[in-house]
């Protein structure tokens, strides 16, 4: 929001090296060979099948990509583990089981466990011998996770914590060997975290939940009745549980976006194939503008989400390297580096999951009646997609967090938002610059982008000044500001990726990507205008409102752009390749 990023600074997926692509291919092959043929059996929760698949994935090393070698893993970087989440992401319920195990199930121990705990659990989790689940949510503590009632009490001998309580919506609950459980010790205000083995006793569960989608993923209510947990299984320190939950969720969020990217790619492949095959009115439906629009728009949103997600993933890796170079312990550096990009994790979660919902919805539409048939692939994709806007923090909670985290950083002096916001406010009084735009490639787009950032600063700055402390209660305005930030981040990531590609491959070979970046930027400008207008209407009035609306119009002004033709060109490439090809 406050500075221009040169394209050299961002990572783009086209830069993954051979080894990383080989790891990705291993995952794709695994999903094709082991998961797709069994989708119906998985969704019917055939006894033992999900565990067998996880075992096979473990044998291939897919559960241990980012686990350090010292604990039986491959010690790969964060973005490689994102690539795995992406490749496995198209695996429906299996993808959910795998990511719950490798992410929220395993990482709390890897990042917060002491050496003894890591030695005891991580190698077995890495191989798949142990399967893991994460128990935070309770019937009355969902988004408000720190309000959980599950209790922990030290027994008289001081050897065990006695855990009592009920957890809800627990992924992998039906078969997990290890549960990461959040509970409050005595009357503590904050949660603590515990590693609980199923065979400690006192762990029971309800039957499987009946769900709209991801039917093959085990989801249970789990009860802890006088469950005796050895004191050495307290994770980290007493009262540190909420921090653990939040930090692990940061990682889960961006990985969810990676998984949404993988799912979307598969859906676009199917939709493109179908559009090329299906004939109506004597023509393949891929010849119709209405269908081409859909295919192109699906690809545009996927490309944008992908650009933002891997850019942030690499930022996390780079921050990690810097922290380690300064002498920080590896686990600590993993957490700190993700925390630094927690805003981006939340943005990619929201935009990734909403992109997937758009893609599956239009995927159903391209298939027409067959989209509604359970015998064709869209029906499952449509149902399975919807959960992504709910778990790992609902999209509303994540939008609130984006702004909350930014403002907190500004207040702590870590981020100068108010200085740039004031200079944008000052610019409103000045005469606009009518200079002819630079004709260099992307010069105009960069100016548009810079102006969209000014809208973010203008609206956020004015809202903070006007509403002060009550801004945190004005959720509609916070949603508007989060939308502005998100669209700007994705538009910038897309543009920088296109620019870098031009430098890598030459303009001629990446015309499609340039079209994508331009279409996305222009629709982002419209979204930013709408969100800005709604926000300003709700807290400003009179001359002040007039002046800010003038600024809003000025900063969202774009030159006429024929997005219809650009989408036609994008669709043509997809249709000729008969798959997602950007
Ligand atoms: C299939 C599935 C698998 C899951 N797996 C796990 C798991 O493995 N482990 C685990 O611990 N949990 C898991 N969850 C729980 C999931 O994380 C929660 O469902 C989610 O966090 C939302 O909580 P809730 O369902 O209680 O909804 P609520 O918190 O009751 O939210 C209801 C609505 O109110 C909105 N809302 C709530 N608070 C606010 C607020 N402050 N401001 C604005 N809007 C608000 C929400 O956005 C939402 O739209 C899973 C859930 C499902 C459905």
């Amino acid at each position: 929001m406050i500075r221009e990023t040169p394209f050299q600074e961002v990572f783009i997926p086209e830069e993954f090296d051979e080894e990383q692509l080989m790891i990705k291919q291993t995952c794709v092959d695994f999903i094709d060979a082991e998961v797709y043929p069994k989708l119906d059996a998985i969704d019917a929760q055939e006894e033992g099948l999900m565990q067998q698949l996880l075992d096979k994935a473990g044998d291939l090393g897919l559960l241990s990509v980012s686990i350090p070698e010292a604990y039986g893993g491959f010690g790969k970087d964060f973005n490689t583990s994102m690539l795995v989440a992406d490749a496995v992401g198209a695996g429906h319920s299996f993808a959910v089981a795998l990511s719950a195990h490798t992410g929220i199930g395993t990482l709390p121990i890897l990042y917060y466990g002491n050496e003894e705990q890591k030695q005891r659990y991580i190698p077995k989790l890495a191989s798949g011998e142990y399967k893991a689940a994460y128990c935070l949510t309770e019937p009355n503590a969902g988004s408000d996770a720190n309000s959980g009632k599950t209790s922990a009490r030290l027994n008289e001998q001081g050897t065990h914590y006695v855990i009592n309580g009920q957890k809800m919506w627990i992924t992998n609950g039906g078969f997990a060997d290890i549960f990461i459980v959040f509970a409050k010790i005595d009357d503590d205000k904050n949660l603590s975290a515990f590693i609980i083995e199923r065979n400690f006793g006192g762990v029971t569960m309800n039957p499987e939940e009946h769900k709209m989608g991801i039917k093959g993923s085990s989801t249970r209510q789990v009860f802890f009745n006088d469950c005796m947990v050895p004191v050495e299984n307290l994770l980290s320190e007493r009262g540190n549980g909420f921090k653990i939950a939040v930090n692990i969720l940061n990682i889960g969020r961006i990985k969810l976006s990676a998984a949404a990217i993988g799912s979307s790619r598969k859906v676009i492949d199917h939709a493109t194939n179908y559009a090329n095959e299906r004939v109506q009115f004597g023509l393949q439906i891929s010849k119709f503008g209405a269908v081409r629009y859909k295919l192109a728009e699906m690809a545009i949103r996927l490309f944008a989400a992908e650009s933002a997600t891997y850019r942030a993933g690499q930022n996390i890796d780079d921050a990690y390297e810097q922290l380690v170079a300064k002498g920080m312990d590896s686990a600590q550096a993993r957490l700190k580096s993700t925390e630094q990009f927690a805003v981006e994790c939340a943005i990619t979660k929201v935009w990734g999951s909403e992109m997937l919902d758009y893609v599956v919805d239009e995927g159903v539409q391209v298939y027409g009646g067959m989209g509604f048939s359970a015998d064709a692939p869209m029906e499952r994709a449509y149902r399975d997609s919807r959960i992504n806007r709910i778990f790992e923090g609902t999209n509303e909670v994540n939008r609130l967090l984006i702004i909350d985290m930014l403002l907190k950083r500004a207040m702590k002096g870590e981020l100068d938002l108010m200085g740039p916001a004031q200079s944008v406010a000052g610019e409103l009084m000045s005469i606009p610059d009518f200079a002819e735009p630079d004709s260099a490639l992307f010069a105009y787009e960069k100016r548009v982008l810079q102006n969209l950032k000014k809208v973010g600063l203008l609206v956020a700055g004015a809202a903070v000044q006007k509403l002060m402390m009550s801004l945190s209660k004005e959720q509609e305005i916070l949603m508007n500001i989060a939308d502005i930030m998100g669209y700007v981040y994705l538009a910038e990531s897309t543009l920088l990726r296109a620019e870098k590609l031009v430098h890598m491959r030459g303009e001629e070979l990446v015309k499609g990507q340039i079209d994508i970046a331009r279409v996305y930027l222009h629709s982002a400008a419209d979204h930013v205008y709408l969100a800005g207008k709604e926000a300003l209407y709700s807290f400003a009035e009179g001359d002040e409102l007039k002046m800010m609306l003038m600024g809003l119009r000025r900063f969202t002004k774009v030159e006429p752009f024929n997005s219809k033709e650009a989408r036609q060109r994008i669709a043509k490439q997809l249709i000729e390749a008969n798959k997602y090809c950007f």
Side-chain angles (χ1 to χ4, degrees):
M1 293 306 295
I2 56 178
R3 75 176 181 97
E4 208 175 322
T5 304
F7 75 84
Q8 293 87 345
E9 272 185 27
V10 299
F11 173 85
I12 63 174
E14 289 77 5
E15 293 177 297
F16 278 121
D17 64 27
E18 247 173 64
E19 191 198 10
Q20 290 171 310
L21 294 177
M22 220 171 65
I23 294 174
K24 180 180 183 186
Q25 195 54 46
T26 309
C27 298
V28 171
D29 293 346
F30 179 79
I31 298 290
D32 282 347
E34 299 289 343
V35 176
Y36 282 138
K38 301 185 188 115
L39 283 176
D40 288 333
I42 293 171
D43 273 1
Q45 299 215 353
E46 193 179 291
E47 188 63 34
L49 178 56
M50 187 66 89
Q51 295 96 300
Q52 283 166 24
L53 288 171
L54 287 169
D55 286 340
K56 283 189 183 168
D59 292 343
L60 270 179
L62 304 187
L63 307 180
S64 55
V65 173
S66 58
I67 289 180
E69 284 163 301
Y71 305 106
F74 292 96
K76 297 292 170 206
D77 55 48
F78 185 68
N79 239 359
T80 306
S81 73
M82 296 267 287
L83 202 53
V84 171
D86 174 333
V88 173
H92 295 275
S93 295
F94 172 75
V96 177
L98 182 136
S99 84
H101 168 78
T102 55
I104 52 183
T106 299
L107 297 184
I109 305 180
L110 185 62
Y111 293 156
Y112 288 96
N114 56 35
E115 196 47 43
E116 202 272 321
Q117 289 168 337
K118 288 196 236 187
Q119 293 288 356
R120 185 145 43 106
Y121 293 109
I122 297 295
K124 288 183 175 158
L125 290 166
S127 68
E129 183 182 340
Y130 281 167
K131 320 272 183 308
Y134 172 91
C135 305
L136 178 63
T137 306
E138 298 184 10
N140 292 315
S143 300
D144 185 10
N146 204 25
S147 68
K149 295 271 179 294
T150 298
S151 68
R153 180 180 49 78
L154 196 60
N155 67 356
E156 276 175 15
Q157 298 84 342
T159 55
H160 289 77
Y161 284 103
V162 187
I163 310 270
N164 280 288
Q166 175 184 1
K167 295 288 176 180
M168 197 167 176
W169 301 119
I170 304 310
T171 301
N172 295 349
F175 55 78
D177 309 285
I178 304 294
F179 298 86
I180 304 297
V181 180
F182 296 87
K184 281 179 185 157
I185 300 176
D186 301 334
D187 295 323
D188 285 1
K189 225 170 97 244
N190 285 317
L191 295 167
S192 297
F194 300 87
I195 309 167
I196 298 189
E197 296 182 24
R198 181 185 283 264
N199 62 16
F200 281 170
V203 182
T204 56
M205 50 197 64
N206 271 359
E208 288 292 333
E209 300 287 349
H210 299 291
K211 307 191 294 288
M212 175 197 290
I214 54 163
K215 287 176 184 287
S217 160
S218 168
T219 314
R220 300 281 191 128
Q221 283 192 41
V222 182
F223 300 88
F224 299 95
N225 307 304
D226 287 337
C227 174
M228 302 291 282
V229 181
V231 283
E232 55 271 20
N233 277 31
L234 172 70
L235 200 48
S236 178
E237 287 158 24
R238 178 174 178 166
N240 217 15
F242 191 58
K243 193 168 158 206
I244 298 177
V246 168
N247 281 334
I248 296 300
L249 285 176
N250 284 335
I251 300 172
R253 285 173 185 151
I254 188 166
K255 287 215 174 151
L256 181 147
S257 180
I261 287 164
S263 305
S264 302
R265 207 180 285 112
K266 192 81 191 170
V267 169
I268 296 175
D269 286 353
H270 278 308
T272 311
N273 295 166
Y274 190 81
N276 275 336
E277 276 170 20
R278 175 74 175 162
V279 173
Q280 285 293 282
F281 300 97
L283 288 174
Q284 290 157 307
I285 62 168
S286 61
K287 299 257 179 352
F288 298 128
V291 173
R292 293 167 87 89
Y293 176 99
K294 291 183 197 308
L295 295 176
E297 188 59 25
M298 290 153 93
I300 291 164
R301 295 194 194 190
L302 167 56
F303 187 87
E306 194 182 43
S307 309
T309 302
Y310 286 113
R311 170 190 181 181
Q314 187 66 40
N315 286 150
I316 291 172
D317 269 327
D318 292 346
Y320 167 83
E321 295 294 343
Q322 282 171 14
L323 292 168
V324 169
K326 281 185 197 154
M328 191 180 274
D329 150 76
S330 167
Q332 190 64 21
R334 282 271 168 234
L335 289 168
K336 262 269 164 287
S337 55
T338 321
E339 212 180 318
Q340 274 179 30
F341 291 91
V343 173
E344 285 82 351
C345 292
I347 291 178
T348 51
K349 192 273 174 181
V350 172
W351 266 259
S353 60
E354 293 181 5
M355 176 275 296
L356 176 60
D357 263 0
Y358 176 84
V359 167
V360 294
D361 186 65
E362 291 292 44
V364 168
Q365 201 65 17
V366 169
Y367 267 63
M370 283 312 285
F372 210 67
S373 163
D375 295 328
M378 288 302 157
E379 184 259 2
R380 181 182 274 115
Y382 185 82
R383 287 186 291 98
D384 286 357
S385 162
R386 191 60 183 82
I387 184 60
N388 291 297
R389 281 161 57 196
I390 297 171
F391 58 18
E392 305 278 354
T394 66
N395 282 15
E396 294 71 37
V397 167
N398 272 290
R399 278 190 164 86
L400 294 173
L401 276 173
I402 292 167
I403 307 304
D404 184 59
M405 291 187 285
L406 276 174
L407 291 182
K408 277 195 182 126
R409 278 183 207 177
M411 258 149 38
K412 277 195 214 156
E414 290 171 9
L415 186 72
D416 180 18
L417 272 182
M418 285 328 267
Q422 273 158 5
S423 75
V424 172
E427 209 181 318
L428 291 184
M429 314 282 194
S430 66
I431 298 166
D433 175 11
F434 290 113
E436 275 296 305
D438 181 351
S439 62
L441 185 66
F442 297 129
Y444 155 74
E445 286 80 4
K446 285 190 179 172
R447 209 185 53 192
V448 171
L449 188 68
Q450 207 181 4
N451 281 337
L452 297 184
K453 291 184 182 181
K454 288 181 187 168
V455 175
L457 292 165
L458 172 75
V459 177
V464 168
Q465 256 185 356
K466 194 98 194 156
L467 301 164
M468 314 274 262
M469 299 316 273
S470 67
L471 177 58
S472 62
K473 296 196 179 64
E474 297 283 354
Q475 291 197 343
E476 295 91 331
I477 299 173
L478 296 173
M479 298 280 148
N480 290 147
I481 303 174
D483 276 352
I484 297 172
M485 305 280 177
Y487 277 111
V488 167
Y489 186 65
L490 265 80
E492 182 181 66
S493 305
T494 311
L495 193 60
L496 293 174
R497 180 172 174 194
E499 193 182 5
K500 195 166 202 180
L501 280 171
V502 169
H503 282 262
M504 282 164 63
R505 298 181 183 169
E507 199 178 326
E508 201 49 38
L509 289 180
V510 295
K511 281 193 175 324
Q513 288 86 337
I514 298 174
D515 274 332
I516 288 177
R518 288 187 171 141
V519 178
Y520 196 86
L521 180 68
H522 281 83
S523 56
D526 290 338
H527 283 289
V528 167
Y529 175 72
L530 275 182
K533 189 176 69 166
E534 274 191 15
L536 293 177
Y537 279 176
S538 61
F539 66 80
E541 51 190 19
D543 286 345
E544 191 190 20
L545 174 61
K546 268 192 207 150
M547 169 124 87
M548 284 197 282
L549 283 175
M550 256 166 45
L552 177 66
R553 273 188 226 104
R554 186 189 337 165
F555 295 140
T556 51
K557 187 167 172 291
V558 287
E559 298 298 324
F561 172 69
N562 191 341
S563 55
K564 181 215 144 199
E565 283 304 319
R567 283 200 187 85
Q568 276 283 350
R569 290 190 293 270
I570 295 163
K572 185 167 181 282
Q573 268 187 260
L574 284 170
I575 289 161
E576 281 174 8
N578 204 18
K579 61 177 189 172
Y580 179 76
C581 55
F582 296 104

